[in-house]
Amino acid sequence: MNSVSKTTREAQFVTLGIEREIYAVPVEAVVEILDMRPVFRIPETPTYLVGLIDVRGRGVPVIDLRLKLGLPPNATSEHSRILVLHVTINGRETALGLMADRVFEVMPLDLRQLEAPPDIGVPWRSDYIRGVGRRGDGFVIVFDLATLFTADEASVISRKALSDLAAGASIPAGVPAHPLPTAGAL
């Protein structure tokens, strides 16, 4: 199913929250949304790499989006979720879990109305922002997933995860997945 209509240039996005901010990822990248579950820790990885979870018998690295964005860590709550994504980095598809404070809904955004990342007059890392859209009276930051995780980071994550799995590490099983909520469902 193609989420982009050729006539309206509207695409579907899953919106998620970190603190008071709202972010979005393309719905076609989202495999499933999971409740928080035990995570198998991997030593000697970047601080934002929480560890691995088991998703249908496959070890999936989990990234704490708060830490990846340079925000302070926060305790998980009953609203915290893991979005399992398929991300293409340097032509290679990688499964990643993205830990968020909460997930809101699937919503449409008109791609023609996305604004460029703001120019604040000083250099800052905005390459992972595809654009800024509107959600009601507020804004939603649309991630460019291919640049949110650089090729070097993806390589480190994948190599470390595979080597730990090959060593026979067991990954705790979790709780059932959530289906994607539709606009207005939450």
Side-chain angles (χ1 to χ4, degrees):
M1 181 176 93
N2 187 354
S3 67
V4 179
S5 168
K6 289 179 176 33
T7 57
T8 64
R9 296 289 297 153
E10 192 172 88
Q12 298 292 317
F13 292 88
V14 176
T15 55
L16 54 123
I18 301 292
E19 291 190 0
R20 296 177 313 230
E21 311 312 324
I22 301 173
Y23 300 92
V25 296
V27 73
E28 64 268 9
V30 180
V31 177
E32 58 190 303
I33 300 171
L34 305 171
D35 286 329
M36 290 305 300
R37 53 179 56 193
V39 177
F40 177 81
R41 304 276 179 204
I42 303 172
E44 300 178 36
T45 56
T47 56
Y48 57 81
L49 177 59
V50 178
L52 292 174
I53 59 170
D54 179 75
V55 178
R56 301 184 202 323
R58 180 178 181 191
V60 174
V62 177
I63 306 294
D64 185 333
L65 190 53
R66 289 175 145 280
L67 298 178
K68 177 68 179 157
L69 296 176
L71 298 170
N74 194 23
T76 60
S77 74
E78 69 274 7
H79 302 290
S80 299
R81 299 288 183 263
I82 298 173
L83 285 83
V84 179
L85 309 172
H86 278 166
V87 181
T88 302
I89 302 172
N90 285 348
R92 184 171 158 259
E93 191 165 294
T94 303
L96 292 174
L98 202 60
M99 208 167 85
D101 292 347
R102 61 199 169 284
V103 173
F104 294 109
E105 63 191 357
V106 173
M107 68 173 280
L109 285 174
D110 186 336
L111 298 176
R112 294 172 301 183
Q113 293 181 353
L114 287 182
E115 299 173 23
D119 180 4
I120 59 173
V122 294
W124 66 290
R125 184 163 181 236
S126 64
D127 56 329
Y128 61 84
I129 299 174
R130 180 175 174 187
V132 178
R134 299 275 180 170
R135 181 177 187 262
D137 292 337
F139 296 97
V140 58
I141 297 171
V142 178
F143 284 126
D144 179 343
L145 294 174
T147 56
L148 182 60
F149 306 103
T150 66
D152 289 342
E153 290 171 334
S155 175
V156 166
I157 291 166
S158 294
R159 268 198 324 267
K160 187 65 179 156
L162 289 174
S163 67
D164 285 355
L165 287 175
S170 63
I171 302 170
V175 293
H178 283 285
L180 292 175
T182 56
L186 293 178

